[in-house]
Amino acid sequence: MSDTRVDFRAPATLRKWPSVNKERVSAALGARPYMIIEGTLEECIQKFMLLPKSQHHLYEIHTAPQSDLVSAVLAADHVMELSRLRDLLAK
């Protein structure tokens, strides 16, 4: 794990899925997530963490994959883990 690094400066986009009654509209119905912000992985994580927890399931971050820690599409649970890792590395 000590050799594994995350580039929080990598380009990324924060995206939100369309929703009805606080639930995602299915991709089977033609829904696609739309861009909220474009910036770095760090900026997208920061913006995500400011969102109400009750809405986290509607968002995802898209970025270039990095090792086993960062996939191309990061769901809410994964974003929260990366946020904790970022905070830990900053200490």
Side-chain angles (χ1 to χ4, degrees), residues 12-17 32-39 60:
T13 58
L14 177 65
R15 297 178 177 261
K16 181 180 186 287
W17 280 85
R32 299 286 177 264
Y34 56 89
M35 187 170 55
I36 301 296
I37 66 164
E38 182 175 33
E60 57 193 27

Side-chain angles (χ1 to χ4, degrees), residues 3-35:
D3 291 341
T4 303
R5 291 181 173 65
V6 175
D7 182 4
F8 289 101
R9 296 171 299 175
T13 58
L14 177 65
R15 297 178 177 261
K16 181 180 186 287
W17 280 85
S19 62
V20 174
N21 297 325
K22 300 180 183 178
E23 294 298 325
R24 278 187 185 190
V25 174
S26 172
L29 297 175
R32 299 286 177 264
Y34 56 89
M35 187 170 55

